[in-house]
């Protein structure tokens, strides 16, 4: 991992051609628990899931710093799109990242108000503390 200077960042060497989010200055590992490159990758995934209609639409490689591959992408569409968000699974090295599309419609925002965290039986044998919405 090479830390770029402000000059290089300002010249756009870290900015990938992407249709998603790009964070020029990522929080460091002491704040997030992960390398800045992973924070950038997660932001890119989060942004691109809204405009992608197939796995090939994602552009997640950032120069020679991050190489990432979409290994699974689902668009649920009607009639399930209102209750089942689109999901993408990305692998970068030994790290797997899952991304879900958030709220995009008025109905999504209405459903979001029912945010009761629950324990899943799938995770109950791992930890009683894991709760999801």
């Amino acid at each position: 991992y090479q830390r770029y200077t402000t000059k290089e960042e300002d010249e756009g060497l870290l900015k990938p051609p992407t249709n998603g989010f790009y964070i020029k200055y990522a929080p460091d590992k002491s704040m997030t628990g992960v390398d800045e490159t992973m924070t950038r990758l997660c932001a890119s995934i989060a942004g691109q899931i809204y405009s992608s209609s197939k796995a090939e639409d994602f552009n997640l490689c950032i120069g020679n710093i991050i190489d990432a591959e979409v290994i699974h992408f689902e668009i649920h569409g009607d009639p399930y799109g209102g209750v089942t968000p689109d999901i993408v699974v990305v692998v970068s090295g030994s790290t797997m990242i899952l991304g879900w599309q958030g709220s995009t419609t008025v109905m999504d925002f209405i459903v979001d108000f029912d945010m009761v965290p629950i324990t899943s039986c799938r995770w109950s044998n791992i930890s009683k503390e894991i709760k999801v919405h």
Side-chain angles (χ1 to χ4, degrees), residues 9-77:
E9 287 177 339
D10 289 341
E11 290 174 358
L13 296 178
L14 286 179
K15 185 174 182 181
T18 174
N19 61 358
F21 297 136
Y22 167 75
I23 33 181
K24 186 172 182 179
Y25 301 105
D28 64 26
K29 188 174 184 171
S30 68
M31 296 175 74
T32 63
V34 298
D35 289 332
E36 292 175 38
T37 53
M38 279 296 142
T39 302
R40 291 174 196 260
L41 177 58
C42 290
S44 190
I45 292 166
Q48 291 184 45
I49 196 166
Y50 288 91
S51 58
S52 298
S53 59
K54 58 187 183 299
E56 294 78 21
D57 291 342
F58 287 85
N59 181 5
L60 302 174
C61 298
I62 300 175
N64 60 356
I65 300 170
I66 293 180
D67 187 27
E69 177 185 5
V70 175
I71 60 169
H72 185 74
F73 180 56
E74 285 183 24
I75 295 180
H76 296 104

Side-chain angles (χ1 to χ4, degrees), residues 85-104:
D86 299 346
I87 182 173
V88 64
V89 180
V90 175
V91 172
S92 179
S94 62
T95 303
M96 178 182 285
I97 301 165
L98 306 176
W100 285 269
Q101 184 179 46
S103 300
T104 57

